[in-house]
Amino acid sequence: MAEELRDIEPLRSLLAHRPLAILSDIDGTIAPIVPNPEDSRVSNRARDALQSLMSEGVSVGFITGRAIEKARDIVGVLGAYYAGNHGLNIAMDGAAEAPEELRPYVAWAQQVIADTCGLNIPGVIVEDKGPVVAFHYRMAESEDDARRALESAISASPSSKNFRVQVGRKVIELRPPVAIDKGTAVETLASRIGARAVLTMGDDATDLDMFRGARELQKHGVASASVAVWSNEVQPEVLEETDYFVRGVEGVEWLLEEVLKAIRP
């Protein structure tokens, strides 16, 4: 069970390892949750801290459900690594890589969107991410009614049977049922970086795979720690699966600045 992180001391031994990588979710972690997901942006404070950490030799990566192009736009940190669509796409040196096996899912995703678009539920936003579809219902007048209507429409779409359903914070996602997730993304990024220590941060049930991936790294001699971001929407299992927690995006900003102080000579 996570304990609240009030100072940097519990992380000092981790931060002493090099190369060090910080791998983070975006929405709800380094960017505040906003009603319209298109309006999401990382704060200047977090961006400055991340950029400064990179200037000190820390590798920074973002593991998100967003498409990589959108993630880059939200974050605005030069030289960072990205794993988009829950690890289905990886970008290490510019162009994003996508497995060949995902190509059929792009067409199936388009069919699910076509099958559900007739709902026209006010406040529901459909995010087309290629092989992944996300239905955001945070802005709906009745979140419960919107969620039930979406679940019914998705279930009725023949193409939805090709996907697995992932439920997050006011969002329903359809993801290809392949052995790729935020956990495999952590392992891939850490391996390519050559990290000897990894700090992961996330706020949602969709980040549980990321935390498990970080623990898997320990079996291969890579030190790791995970930090949950507390909010009034956090699921209990998120706190159960992490080592520490901080309160809100402000807590993450504080943590990044403390890490920066700790690693500077």
Side-chain angles (χ1 to χ4, degrees), residues 240-258:
E240 291 166 2
E241 292 283 347
T242 50
D243 301 308
Y244 307 100
F245 75 91
V246 294
R247 295 184 181 273
V249 174
E250 296 84 357
V252 174
E253 294 168 337
W254 164 83
L255 175 57
L256 293 173
E257 291 170 347
E258 289 299 305

Side-chain angles (χ1 to χ4, degrees), residues 176-187:
V178 294
I180 300 172
D181 54 32
K182 286 190 174 186
T184 61
V186 165
E187 295 178 59

Side-chain angles (χ1 to χ4, degrees), residues 157-230:
S157 172
S159 291
S160 70
K161 308 302 186 293
N162 296 304
F163 297 86
R164 59 189 172 103
V165 177
Q166 175 74 54
V167 178
R169 291 177 65 177
K170 317 296 183 185
V171 62
I172 299 173
E173 284 195 334
L174 301 185
R175 295 163 54 184
V178 294
I180 300 172
D181 54 32
K182 286 190 174 186
T184 61
V186 165
E187 295 178 59
T188 297
L189 289 178
S191 175
R192 295 200 190 180
I193 291 166
R196 302 311 304 161
V198 173
L199 177 65
T200 56
M201 303 187 299
D203 71 301
D204 197 357
T206 59
D207 298 317
L208 292 174
D209 290 328
M210 183 167 61
F211 302 142
R212 292 167 186 148
R215 285 200 299 274
E216 189 67 22
L217 290 174
Q218 295 176 0
K219 299 177 183 178
H220 305 284
V222 179
S224 75
S226 55
V227 179
V229 183
W230 184 92

Side-chain angles (χ1 to χ4, degrees), residues 61-133:
F62 302 100
I63 301 176
T64 175
R66 299 274 195 168
I68 286 178
E69 296 77 11
K70 184 61 180 177
R72 283 177 171 145
D73 183 49
I74 294 169
V75 175
V77 173
L78 299 176
Y81 303 124
Y82 291 87
N85 285 332
H86 299 276
L88 295 178
N89 304 101
I90 301 287
M92 295 290 291
D93 298 302
E97 307 167 13
E100 195 73 23
E101 64 192 293
L102 297 180
R103 289 194 174 184
Y105 291 94
V106 176
W108 289 328
Q110 291 300 313
Q111 187 57 56
V112 176
I113 292 173
D115 292 342
T116 57
C117 69
L119 290 175
N120 293 322
I121 306 171
V124 170
I125 296 172
V126 180
E127 188 178 2
D128 179 357
K129 301 186 286 184
V132 177
V133 186

